[in-house]
Amino acid sequence: MSEPTGTPAGSGQLKTLAVRITEDLRAQLDIVAQLTGRSATEEIRLALEHWIEKTKADPVILKKAEAVKAEIERDAKTRRNAIAAIFGGETTVKSDSKAAPSGTQPQPAQRRTKPAGD
């Protein structure tokens, strides 16, 4: 299969994807490619682009995407807070809504010692 000379939509670095398909589907793909004057690779790329555009408009998929995005944001916030707790820098908002001064690092707890004679 030859690569097309034009730049595909959403151009960037091209990656190779191996896809297993039946002989019948491959035969149909080859006929469509022959009839359109495009390569089988270009036909596959165009079909995937069309399918992705259709999927992006699906309300069920959009709802799932929002849930995934919210989970990613929660995870990112947790990780940012962990890094800030370890290394300082950008601080987190405490439960009493007062933020620690920027650039301060948490101090380790002091160990209490028993008075002599106890």
Side-chain angles (χ1 to χ4, degrees):
M1 280 182 240
S2 62
E3 287 293 320
T5 55
T7 307
S11 64
Q13 183 178 0
L14 296 178
K15 301 277 187 170
T16 299
L17 173 66
V19 179
R20 295 183 188 277
I21 58 175
T22 64
E23 285 185 42
D24 288 345
L25 186 56
R26 177 57 197 246
Q28 292 175 52
L29 175 61
D30 288 340
I31 294 296
V32 169
Q34 181 182 2
L35 294 172
T36 62
R38 293 186 284 253
S39 68
T41 299
E42 184 64 9
E43 290 298 334
I44 292 167
R45 187 181 1 256
L46 290 171
L48 284 171
E49 288 172 358
H50 174 75
W51 178 76
I52 288 173
E53 286 302 314
K54 181 180 173 187
T55 301
K56 289 187 328 189
D58 183 336
V60 174
I61 298 297
L62 290 171
K63 187 175 180 179
K64 288 180 180 179
E66 286 300 318
V68 169
K69 183 178 174 184
E71 180 60 31
I72 289 168
E73 292 298 326
R74 281 190 296 274
D75 184 54
K77 181 179 178 183
T78 299
R79 290 168 161 249
R80 280 192 300 272
N81 289 344
I83 289 172
I86 295 168
F87 300 108
E90 204 173 301
T91 58
T92 61
V93 177
K94 295 182 180 180
S95 59
D96 64 354
S97 299
K98 293 181 184 176
S102 183
T104 62
Q105 294 189 17
Q107 297 297 316
Q110 297 295 321
R111 290 189 77 174
R112 293 177 127 182
T113 57
K114 290 185 179 182
D118 275 350

